[in-house]
Amino acid sequence: MEFTFDSTYSLKEFFVENSEKFENTLLSEAVNVKSKISEILQIGNIDLVNNAHKLVIFIIDGKNEELKSFAKQEGIAWATHSLELSFKLEWVQAIRRTLWNFIEKYYELVTENDPEDFFQLEQEFNNSVDEFLNAFFISFSTYKDSLIKVQKELVENLSVPIIPIDPKICILPLIGSVDSHRAGIIKEKVMSEVAELRIETLIMDLSGIGKMESDILVDLMQIIDGISMMGCKTVITGLRKEIVMDITKSGIVFNSETTTLGTLQQALNEYFVEEKHQKV
C-alpha cells in the first residue's frame, strides 16, 4: 500500500493525507460491521466512517474532554435507537488496530525517531481508546435505563386509564391480569386522581378481567373503601362469573355504598345520561 508522505508531516497530517487508505483498511478490519454501515446510518443517522475519523483526530490531538463528550453522545445515540453493542465494540477495536497500523507505518517513514516515543504514544493512545469505550458504555447504560424507566411509567399510566366523562364522573376500565404490582399502581393512581379531579363517582369496569386472586380482591376492596372516605362512590360493572365465584369463596363483600351493575352501558345510562337530563 502506497502512502502519501513528506518528511515535514506530523502524525495528524499523515492521517489526514491518507484518510482514504485509513477508511479502506478500517472497513477490511471490521468485517461484520461493514455490511451494517448503511443500515446504522439510516436508523440512527450515525455515520460510522466519519465518526471514526473524528475519534482518531481527538486521540492524536490529546483532546480527552472532547473525546469523552463525543463518547457520551454516541452512547445516547446507540441507546436511543437500540443498536447492537457488539457492532460498536467491533468497530472501535477495528479503529484501534487500524490506528496502530498507520502509526507504525508513520514511524517507519520518519527517518529520525525515538523508539521510546513510539511506546509512550502506544500507551497514551490505548488509554484514550479505553476511555472512549468506558464513557460510551456508561452513557449507553445510563440513558438506556432512563428510557426503560420512562417507558415503564408510560405503560403503568396506560394500565390505569381513568377516563373523565364529565367533571364528576370517571370510568376506570381494567383489562388483563392484575398482580400485586399492578394493584399497587392502580391504588396509587386512583387515590391521586380522585383527590386531584374531585371525582364523585368512579365507574370501575371489570369486564376485561377474567380472574382475581384473593389478595388482589382485598386490594380492590381497599381502593373502594379508600376513595369512599374521600367522598367518591364506586360503581362496579362487568363482573364476570369467575370473579364473582372468587369473591363469594373469599367471603369478601363490597361496602354498602358500592353499586354493582351488569354492564358499563347500564352505568352510563344511570349515572351519566340521567344526570344530564336532570340538569336540563
Side-chain angles (χ1 to χ4, degrees):
M1 182 187 297
E2 291 295 327
F3 286 86
T4 301
F5 179 76
D6 187 278
S7 59
T8 62
Y9 282 173
S10 65
L11 180 58
K12 181 178 179 179
E13 289 170 331
F14 179 70
F15 269 90
V16 171
E17 292 297 324
N18 293 280
S19 60
E20 187 175 344
K21 291 184 178 65
F22 177 80
E23 287 181 17
N24 292 334
T25 306
L26 176 59
L27 292 174
S28 66
E29 288 282 338
V31 179
N32 296 318
V33 183
K34 183 178 179 180
S35 62
K36 295 288 183 178
I37 289 177
S38 296
E39 181 182 338
I40 291 171
L41 178 60
Q42 183 178 6
I43 293 173
N45 195 30
I46 299 170
D47 191 330
L48 288 178
V49 175
N50 282 341
N51 286 355
H53 285 289
K54 191 174 181 178
L55 174 59
V56 168
I57 295 301
F58 281 150
I59 292 172
I60 292 174
D61 286 344
K63 294 183 176 180
N64 292 331
E65 292 306 315
E66 289 86 345
L67 182 143
K68 289 178 183 177
S69 177
F70 179 51
K72 290 176 182 178
Q73 293 171 15
E74 287 277 277
I76 291 172
W78 282 68
T80 301
H81 300 286
S82 300
L83 297 170
E84 289 188 35
L85 285 176
S86 60
F87 292 135
K88 184 65 175 181
L89 183 59
E90 180 181 340
W91 184 247
V92 174
Q93 297 298 9
I95 292 173
R96 189 199 297 267
R97 292 192 299 272
T98 306
L99 173 62
W100 274 110
N101 287 338
F102 273 63
I103 291 173
E104 184 179 7
K105 187 61 182 180
Y106 173 76
Y107 270 83
E108 285 178 3
L109 295 171
V110 175
T111 53
E112 296 181 4
N113 63 76
D114 188 343
E116 290 188 7
D117 291 341
F118 178 84
F119 291 116
Q120 178 66 27
L121 197 64
E122 177 184 17
Q123 184 177 4
E124 291 176 1
F125 283 12
N126 273 329
N127 287 342
S128 293
V129 173
D130 291 340
E131 284 181 7
F132 174 86
L133 282 172
N134 186 53
F136 170 85
F137 283 116
I138 290 174
S139 176
F140 178 94
S141 177
T142 302
Y143 194 72
K144 195 70 173 177
D145 288 345
S146 69
L147 287 177
I148 291 171
K149 182 180 178 181
V150 169
Q151 290 167 354
K152 182 180 179 182
E153 289 175 352
L154 177 61
V155 169
E156 288 177 351
N157 286 331
L158 291 174
S159 72
V160 191
I162 295 178
I163 306 165
I165 57 175
D166 80 359
K168 297 181 180 180
I169 303 173
C170 289
I171 302 172
L172 173 58
L174 293 178
I175 300 172
S177 61
V178 179
D179 56 15
S180 58
H181 175 69
R182 190 181 178 197
I185 295 169
I186 293 170
K187 185 185 298 184
E188 182 178 347
K189 181 76 180 292
V190 168
M191 297 285 192
S192 298
E193 292 291 294
V194 167
E196 184 177 340
L197 300 177
R198 300 184 183 278
I199 302 169
E200 295 183 6
T201 303
L202 179 66
I203 301 172
M204 193 179 297
D205 183 56
L206 304 182
S207 59
I209 296 179
K211 187 173 178 60
M212 276 190 178
E213 300 297 332
S214 58
D215 56 338
I216 305 303
L217 287 170
V218 171
D219 288 332
L220 178 64
M221 299 307 167
Q222 289 176 351
I223 294 171
I224 294 171
D225 290 341
I227 63 175
S228 176
M229 294 178 190
M230 300 167 72
C232 178
K233 175 183 175 64
T234 303
V235 179
I236 304 290
T237 66
L239 281 172
R240 298 163 66 92
K241 178 181 70 176
E242 294 83 0
I243 295 180
V244 172
M245 291 177 66
D246 290 339
I247 292 173
T248 54
K249 285 179 182 177
S250 67
I252 296 172
V253 294
F254 294 114
N255 66 42
S256 59
E257 297 178 0
T258 303
T259 300
T260 57
L261 294 171
T263 66
L264 177 59
Q265 187 61 52
Q266 285 178 280
L268 290 174
N269 289 339
E270 183 168 336
Y271 289 91
F272 181 58
V273 176
E274 286 186 9
E275 183 175 311
K276 287 183 68 176
H277 288 161
Q278 290 172 4
K279 290 179 180 179
V280 174

